[in-house]
Amino acid sequence: MRRILVVGAGQSGLQLALGLLAEDYDVTLVNPDGPEEIRAGRVTSTQCLFGPALRRERRHGLSLGEDRAPRIRGVGLRVAHRDGGAAPELSWLGRLDEPARSVDQRLKLSAWLDLFIRGGGRLLRHRVHPGELAGLAAEYELVVVAAGRNGLAEVFPRDTARSRHDAPRRSLALVYASGAAPHPDGPALSRTAVPGAGEVFSLPVLSLNGPCDALMVEAVPGGPLDRPLPATARPEEVLDHLLRVVRRHAPWEYERFAGTRPADPGAALTGGYAPAVREPVARPGGGAPVLGMADTVVANDPITAQGANMASLAANVYRRAIVDHGTRPFDERFMRAAFAEYWRRARQVTAWSRVMLSGPPHVWELYRLAARHQPTADRFANSFADPSGLIEWFLHPERALEYIDGAQRPVPVGGGAH
């Protein structure tokens, strides 16, 4: 039985560990927190899983709580007027082919970790430091680092050709709130774009105390949406800050959240990080190689709501690569091949995130088209489930303008040529 160590118990690390355990591997998971601490901790994200990621969880018996989570049926966009105003300049909703869902990762990951332990996996309660990786790599046949964007991620060198920024593009503030009014278009992942200042997001979530709503602001650093908040800010302070921001810049969201309260004592998160792509393989101390996974080596801004989806994809790609590799050594060649298969799809999301953060003119033209052309709104919404087609119409300015021209062209009456 091959011995594999997974460092980190997030969406990717736990999903990989559980998948390998089901394939009869000897799996050890290292994480500083156990199920109780994860459940009692602070929220970690606004995770929203779309069709493919949800289907993966169902196939592997991991869709815990999905039946109780609100069904998110659309992705909406509003564009605020540059000079303010009570109503948005643009407003539309794209319909999802498959409902999406958001389950608080404190709920999901604590339940998955319980499942891992009950299934015979070993949990080591420990915070791994970079200097320990060399020793661990020598003890196991394969070490996979899925420890998130900080700390151990620094072990993996930045890919400077693919990492354009060394500072956060957005300052983030998030709260889970109880008592919000329903979205007027039904359960939706809603985004308000405030030109030149950032974005406001909201979506329904299944959290510790049942369904609630997440409200998040992504502020351009130093801009009108930005106000530095300490990482230790209480949920009440974060909610108060967010309400002041949306009251001025997205009053339609203020109307929904004005009477809310934090969903629980850990229901807030603040911070920011620089998007980065890193080399997938590191040799700590010059010793055996270790493999990085998901946002440890590909960290995108959450503007495209793809973090948990890409973590799910990474776990699936790596699990298949490990199983298909049979009894051969998990050498650097294997590691780079596994990452290359993941990057083949992850690069689309990295490109999408860059475009959404920079907001070039063709994106605003597409937004205007979607407001009067429902197929475009629906296509944009379903790109959250499958971003691979975005290169054909959204990411590249020339292709976007060709798409807009085609969508606006009148449809001939009466069929084909005579």
Side-chain angles (χ1 to χ4, degrees), residues 74-144:
V75 175
L77 176 78
R78 292 184 173 104
V79 177
H81 286 276
R82 288 185 180 272
D83 56 354
E89 179 181 352
L90 293 176
S91 179
W92 48 263
L93 181 83
R95 299 165 297 203
L96 289 167
D97 293 340
E98 299 176 74
R101 289 177 174 84
S102 177
V103 177
D104 187 335
Q105 290 196 338
R106 295 174 297 174
L107 272 179
K108 174 190 284 189
L109 300 182
S110 60
W112 281 8
L113 192 49
D114 275 329
L115 193 63
F116 174 77
I117 295 167
R118 291 201 306 271
R122 282 191 298 277
L123 171 65
L124 297 181
R125 298 277 301 274
H126 179 65
R127 186 178 300 279
V128 176
H129 297 285
E132 298 175 272
L133 277 177
L136 292 171
E139 293 180 25
Y140 293 86
E141 293 180 73
L142 174 65
V143 172
V144 180

Side-chain angles (χ1 to χ4, degrees), residues 28 32 67 105 118 151 191 210 213 273 318 346 356:
T28 299
D67 56 336
Q105 290 196 338
R118 291 201 306 271
R191 173 178 178 244
D213 287 83
Y273 57 89
Y318 280 23
M356 294 287 278

Side-chain angles (χ1 to χ4, degrees), residues 19-290:
L20 293 175
L21 198 64
E23 299 277 1
D24 294 325
Y25 286 79
D26 182 344
V27 185
T28 299
L29 185 68
V30 183
N31 197 64
D33 297 325
E36 300 81 7
E37 290 80 9
I38 291 174
R39 189 179 177 92
R42 293 172 74 91
V43 298
T44 59
S45 70
T46 54
Q47 69 293 309
C48 184
L49 289 186
F50 296 89
L54 291 172
R55 291 198 299 274
R56 287 185 209 107
E57 292 188 355
R58 292 183 202 121
R59 283 199 302 270
H60 297 284
L62 300 179
S63 57
L64 309 178
E66 182 186 332
D67 56 336
R68 296 183 290 123
R71 292 189 172 196
I72 299 170
R73 299 189 178 276
V75 175
L77 176 78
R78 292 184 173 104
V79 177
H81 286 276
R82 288 185 180 272
D83 56 354
E89 179 181 352
L90 293 176
S91 179
W92 48 263
L93 181 83
R95 299 165 297 203
L96 289 167
D97 293 340
E98 299 176 74
R101 289 177 174 84
S102 177
V103 177
D104 187 335
Q105 290 196 338
R106 295 174 297 174
L107 272 179
K108 174 190 284 189
L109 300 182
S110 60
W112 281 8
L113 192 49
D114 275 329
L115 193 63
F116 174 77
I117 295 167
R118 291 201 306 271
R122 282 191 298 277
L123 171 65
L124 297 181
R125 298 277 301 274
H126 179 65
R127 186 178 300 279
V128 176
H129 297 285
E132 298 175 272
L133 277 177
L136 292 171
E139 293 180 25
Y140 293 86
E141 293 180 73
L142 174 65
V143 172
V144 180
V145 179
R149 298 174 291 269
N150 299 312
L152 292 181
E154 300 296 329
V155 172
F156 298 88
R158 282 171 59 91
D159 184 334
T160 54
R162 295 169 173 168
S163 301
R164 300 182 181 180
H165 305 283
D166 55 9
R169 300 295 308 284
R170 295 291 189 270
S171 299
L172 310 177
L174 156 70
V175 69
Y176 286 7
S178 297
H183 191 285
D185 296 321
L189 169 61
S190 177
R191 173 178 178 244
T192 293
V194 184
E199 299 81 22
V200 177
F201 293 88
S202 67
L203 74 160
V205 180
L206 176 67
S207 192
L208 301 179
N209 298 317
C212 64
D213 287 83
L215 178 65
M216 182 175 76
V217 167
E218 286 212 4
V220 174
L225 303 186
D226 191 21
R227 176 193 163 195
L229 288 169
T232 55
R234 294 181 295 109
E236 292 80 6
E237 296 174 285
V238 178
L239 178 58
D240 181 64
H241 159 65
L242 293 177
L243 289 177
R244 286 200 300 273
V245 167
V246 298
R247 185 173 189 173
R248 179 176 179 183
H249 298 281
W252 41 90
E253 292 287 18
Y254 178 79
E255 292 173 5
R256 295 184 55 219
F257 284 88
T260 61
R261 63 190 183 282
D264 64 80
L269 182 69
T270 63
Y273 57 89
V277 178
R278 298 180 178 277
E279 292 291 336
V281 180
R283 289 184 175 270
V290 298

